[in-house]
């Protein structure tokens, strides 16, 4: 009997928020590595908001997933079989396995993991989300001691890292998160100086009043993960020469509010306050990944940087877990154990 | 009999596009300089789009003009009387005279002009507009040979300088201007490689098609003077890692289009293409003004940089000339001869 693998495929393109029917579960014979390739048994799969974009058939920074194709994603696993120098059976590696129990990957697209850091950290605090926070803050946020940072989705793997790195740089840090539990997490686990619960405010005005209290000296860096009413709330609070690293607009993934054109007012704020907005896609910056690991790994090992992981069980739970994550159902970095 | 001076004051705050009744003409006794001050007789007054902002009573990068206060503005004139070292009667100087026949200014706020450049050039190509173009292009545009620049209001004093400096840096330059005459100017006088007449296109789609033809390799720098449908037309044509120096949004000075919210789509483009948008207010950058003069003055003297001036006659024409300029009625840098 041939061994089987399981994978989650894109069944159809979602309209707004994805639903379970947009995904399908497929089995196939276990693939074999060719020369220079490695067969990996996935242990952990990373779920990230960017995957929502890959489900669309629009020109974007990376190719869409085809209908019937395996959902894209980073995984951590063990080498089952290797036809590549430098990789041996049993090695723990990370790479773009996709939402699949097994994957064959070229050796050049795999990275061996340190034995003394937890395997899941390679997907979060020491993986793409952590690297995103570190890169965007350094290059486009340019933290200055004594200034104020606001970040939405603040307990997420990017937001929590942004807050902690800004705090280490001497900034006042303000977390925006959904619900009292997440606000407590932001304060107690991630060390934010102040928190704002966006669920407690229906409109941008209410949210703005709460933010103004949390950021009495205004906002110098707004890390944009969210869009929507948070962006609208923050803009009037921005200080002159503020920076806005733009990492995502999760509030708009499911559709747009029916409001009058906000672009003229936005552009006016950008001009009058001489703000800088820079789009950040982490795939442009891999060159700096070794520097990131060198700088941040010791801080994680020493416990100076906290991180949270939510681990769901079983590849078959990935679609529902992903949908729940897009709706804010996770606490920390969302991972699926396979 | 006491000598008199004339000034144009703000009579009331405009609602949308200014009208002549928003201004009033006042006379007053000629002021006398105190110790350290200089009395200047204004010869030429600069009219610039930023003055529209000063007429509003909103928090901005510079104080509003008070009702009854003299309209702000840069002038060139002759020293009539000096109580400051370094300035003597007859010297030609420039400073913030306002819309007035005479002004008393502290010596530190005046600059003596070279005798061998035309006095009006200190208000345009070698003044604030030229310096704005030079600064924004260098710091936020970052020209690269072989790439493409698009600029709106391309025959204006900022746009024409942006185009010429980008061309000197080896870029393909595309002018957007209103009407066949301005397009010819952009091509023949300012050396743009291609022109697009925005008046020939009612909507963003038509404008975009024309721009796509003029910029077949996409747009790497969009110099934002305009906003409105031009911004909407350009965004889908932006190349990855494009830069948008934001200098003004003249299309929105008179009011906004009644359209659905364009902010989500704008932010998506900024993210997906990793664009950078930076607000530019030239008043932040005066430190570099000597460097600008040193670099650009020889090019102007050598005729390597072309410039155009529209000179209206008489201080009393300033309000109507200003209104006409906001509506695109000028060809070059708008100046009033007093």
């Amino acid at each position: 009997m041939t061994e089987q693998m399981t994978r989650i495929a894109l069944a159809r393109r979602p309209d707004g928020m994805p639903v379970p029917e947009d995904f399908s579960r497929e089995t196939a014979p276990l693939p074999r590595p060719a020369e220079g390739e490695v067969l990996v048994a996935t242990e952990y799969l990373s779920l990230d908001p960017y995957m929502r974009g890959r489900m669309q058939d629009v020109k974007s920074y990376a190719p869409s997933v085809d209908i019937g194709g395996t959902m894209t994603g980073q995984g951590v696993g063990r080498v089952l079989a290797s036809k590549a120098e430098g990789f041996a059976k049993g090695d723990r590696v990370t790479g773009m396995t996709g939402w699949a129990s097994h994957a064959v990957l070229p050796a050049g697209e795999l990275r061996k993991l340190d034995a003394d850091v937890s395997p899941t950290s390679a997907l979060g605090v020491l993986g793409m989300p952590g690297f995103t926070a570190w890169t965007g803050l350094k290059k486009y946020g340019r933290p200055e001691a004594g200034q104020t940072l606001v970040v939405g989705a603040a307990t997420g793997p990017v937001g929590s890292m942004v807050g902690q790195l800004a705090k280490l740089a001497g900034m006042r840090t303000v977390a925006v998160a959904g619900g009292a539990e997440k606000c407590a997490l932001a304060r107690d686990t991630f060390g934010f100086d102040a928190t704002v619960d966006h669920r407690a405010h229906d409109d941008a005005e209410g949210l703005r009043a709460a933010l103004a209290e949390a950021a009495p000296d205004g906002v110098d860096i707004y890390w944009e993960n969210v869009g929507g009413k948070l962006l609208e709330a923050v803009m009037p609070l921005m200080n002159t020469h503020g920076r806005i690293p733009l990492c995502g607009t999760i509030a708009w993934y499911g559709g747009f509010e029916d409001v009058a054109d906000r672009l003229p007012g936005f552009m006016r704020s950008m001009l009058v306050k001489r703000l800088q907005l820079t789009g950040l896609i982490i795939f442009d910056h891999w060159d700096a990944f070794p520097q990131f690991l060198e700088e941040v790994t010791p801080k994680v090992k020493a416990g100076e940087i906290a991180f949270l992981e939510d681990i769901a069980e079983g590849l078959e739970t990935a679609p529902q877990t992903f949908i729940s994550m897009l709706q804010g159902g996770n606490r920390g970095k969302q991972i699926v154990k396979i």
Side-chain angles (χ1 to χ4, degrees), chain A:
Chain A
M1 197 188 96
T2 319
E3 280 184 281
Q4 297 282 302
M5 66 165 284
T6 311
R7 65 188 185 90
I8 307 286
L10 179 63
R12 63 180 190 195
R13 306 214 177 272
D15 176 24
M17 187 60 69
V19 295
E21 293 71 29
D22 298 331
F23 304 87
S24 67
R25 198 167 148 211
E26 313 284 343
T27 56
L30 200 62
R32 289 162 197 282
E35 203 50 46
E37 292 184 335
V38 176
L39 172 64
V40 178
T42 317
E43 297 174 294
Y44 299 99
L45 168 67
S46 176
L47 294 181
D48 302 277
Y50 78 85
M51 295 166 173
R52 174 67 187 81
R54 302 294 172 89
M55 300 173 78
Q56 292 303 114
D57 186 20
V58 292
K59 196 188 156 198
S60 187
Y61 51 88
S64 321
V65 176
D66 291 329
I67 301 292
T70 304
M71 285 290 297
T72 193
Q74 187 189 354
V76 161
R78 295 274 189 190
V79 173
L80 270 191
S82 171
K83 288 202 166 172
E85 217 174 310
F87 291 90
K89 191 172 169 173
D91 283 349
R92 191 163 246 154
V93 294
T94 184
M96 296 300 283
T97 57
W99 296 23
S101 65
H102 298 78
V104 163
L105 288 163
E109 297 179 13
L110 285 172
R111 181 168 62 86
K112 275 207 266 193
L113 296 184
D114 274 10
D116 62 344
V117 292
S118 83
T120 51
S121 70
L123 300 177
V125 66
L126 293 175
M128 200 179 67
F131 181 48
T132 300
W134 180 85
T135 302
L137 198 62
K138 203 175 182 110
K139 280 194 92 159
Y140 305 134
R142 302 187 298 273
E144 288 184 29
Q147 292 193 342
T148 299
L149 169 130
V150 168
V151 58
T155 59
V158 175
S160 60
M161 187 69 155
V162 165
Q164 292 178 93
L165 292 174
K167 185 84 193 162
L168 286 172
M171 294 191 76
R172 174 175 176 82
T173 56
V174 178
V176 181
E181 196 202 348
K182 283 191 179 175
C183 285
L185 254 182
R187 209 171 35 239
D188 302 338
T189 302
F190 299 122
F192 280 90
D193 294 303
T195 63
V196 170
D197 177 3
H198 67 80
R199 294 203 181 139
H201 306 282
D202 288 338
D203 57 13
E205 286 67 32
L207 191 52
R208 186 177 305 142
L211 278 166
E213 211 168 301
D217 298 327
V219 180
D220 301 287
I221 302 178
Y222 170 52
W223 181 283
E224 177 61 303
N225 277 328
V226 174
K229 76 176 177 185
L230 181 53
L231 174 60
E232 200 178 339
V234 169
M235 284 304 286
L237 305 178
M238 289 300 296
N239 288 332
T240 300
H241 300 298
R243 287 83 65 195
I244 308 179
L246 166 59
C247 183
T249 54
I250 197 169
W252 284 321
Y253 285 7
F256 306 142
E257 306 98 314
D258 181 20
V259 295
D261 189 16
R262 286 179 290 203
L263 187 56
F266 177 80
M267 292 294 276
R268 185 180 156 76
S269 292
M270 289 293 304
L271 174 59
V272 167
K273 298 182 185 170
R274 298 84 109 186
L275 306 179
Q276 185 168 69
L277 172 73
T278 312
L280 167 68
I281 301 286
I282 198 59
F283 304 106
D284 295 333
H285 301 275
W286 285 120
D287 284 358
F289 192 71
Q291 191 195 339
F292 159 72
L293 283 183
E294 195 181 335
E295 191 179 314
V296 177
T297 306
K299 293 194 206 307
V300 171
K301 286 184 182 170
E304 287 166 42
I305 291 178
F307 60 100
L308 267 186
E309 294 168 350
D310 280 13
I311 302 187
E313 296 276 336
L315 182 59
E316 67 283 3
T317 66
Q320 188 54 59
T321 305
F322 177 65
I323 293 164
S324 166
M325 181 192 72
L326 289 182
Q327 294 167 336
N330 59 318
R331 288 194 337 155
K333 166 67 197 151
Q334 186 64 61
I335 290 168
V336 176
K337 187 173 181 195
I338 296 180

